[in-house]
Amino acid sequence: ELPVHQRGDAVSSIVYEANARVRDPVYGCVGAISSLQQQIDALQTQLALTQAEVVHLRVRQTASFPHGFCPTSPTNSGSPTFKLMGSQTMPIFDLDMVVDQASLGEPMWSF
């Protein structure tokens, strides 16, 4: 009862499911899909944590070096004053991170 243009896809799906049932008689392709979804979820969580860490580091860098002062600047990198300040700088505030599982599939920001 399928239209002719969809029959090839239907046959491919049936063959895929049959092969998946041979490999995993209980779950078939659902097991493979579930495993892949778990990997996606773990990678999205890891990406969100990494993005939050980047933001946190940028905030700390901005708070530590106000008014465009940059530790990698050629004029400041060898300064003994900079070295002393760099070892004594404390963050102005600390960020606690909460990961919203519902929005992990969406980017935190866009360019």
Side-chain angles (χ1 to χ4, degrees), residues 64-86:
S64 297
F65 305 107
H67 307 297
F69 183 76
C70 180
T72 59
S73 170
T75 60
N76 296 323
S77 61
S79 166
T81 305
F82 170 73
K83 289 178 183 173
L84 180 63
M85 286 176 45

Side-chain angles (χ1 to χ4, degrees), residues 2 8 14-16 19-21 23-24 28 42 47 49 55 60 62-63 73 75 79 81 101-102 109:
L2 286 175
I14 291 169
V15 169
Y16 183 84
N19 289 329
R21 286 280 176 191
R23 289 188 304 273
D24 185 352
L47 177 61
L49 292 171
V55 169
R60 283 187 61 183
T62 302
S73 170
T75 60
S79 166
T81 305
Q101 295 288 334
W109 54 82

